[in-house]
Amino acid sequence: MTYLKQIAAALALTGATLAAHAADISLSPAPIDLTDGVGLASRLITGNNSGNTFADQYTFSLSGVSNVLADVYSFSGNAKNGLDITGFSLFNAAGTLVSSGNQLSTGQTDQWVLDLGKLAADNYYLQVSGSALSKSAGSYTTNLSVSAVPEPATYGMLLGGLAVLGLATARRRKQQ
């Protein structure tokens, strides 16, 4: 029984030692530029980071209610090299989770997507979480697409314009 306790203690010590070697290599890069309604961000994690973890945060701002779609993509030579993307989430500026992404694939290709629909004007950040799987370099790319949601007055003007067009067409037909 004492022998089993010694083995268990040795395994626990080994696990704690290995866990202590994993470093946090997270970044908070420059904000995503959404000037044209589309923003891109990417990160290259160079070799010798095997087992290290990251939770990179990409900030952006919305000036009005917008439809937002985001994804992150990572490709590795095989499932044992490169990066393992383990999470993709959206937070508001206060750090409150707004939405978690859906994982579409994992292994050689990691892909996550966030389809948020209407999102209120505020400051936000996307968080990409994962770990380096080997001493080989790995990278990921994040895409963010934002489109303005028309205000109700816009639809009213559209309907009013169609009504005027319809009246003009009817009047022209009546004169012929």
Side-chain angles (χ1 to χ4, degrees), residues 12-76:
L13 182 61
T14 302
T17 303
L18 289 175
H21 288 289
D24 182 7
I25 54 173
S26 300
L27 290 179
S28 290
I32 296 176
D33 179 18
L34 295 172
T35 304
D36 298 326
V38 176
L40 299 172
S42 62
R43 179 171 181 201
L44 171 65
I45 297 176
T46 57
N48 295 325
N49 279 303
S50 181
N52 292 343
T53 60
F54 57 91
D56 299 342
Q57 297 177 355
Y58 296 91
T59 60
F60 65 96
S61 297
L62 298 177
S63 58
V65 176
S66 303
N67 287 321
V68 177
L69 177 65
D71 69 354
V72 63
Y73 179 83
S74 176
F75 176 78
S76 304

Side-chain angles (χ1 to χ4, degrees), residues 4 55 98 100 150 165 173-174 176:
L4 288 175
V98 175
S100 294
L165 205 71
R173 285 186 183 169
K174 190 176 182 182
Q176 290 178 353

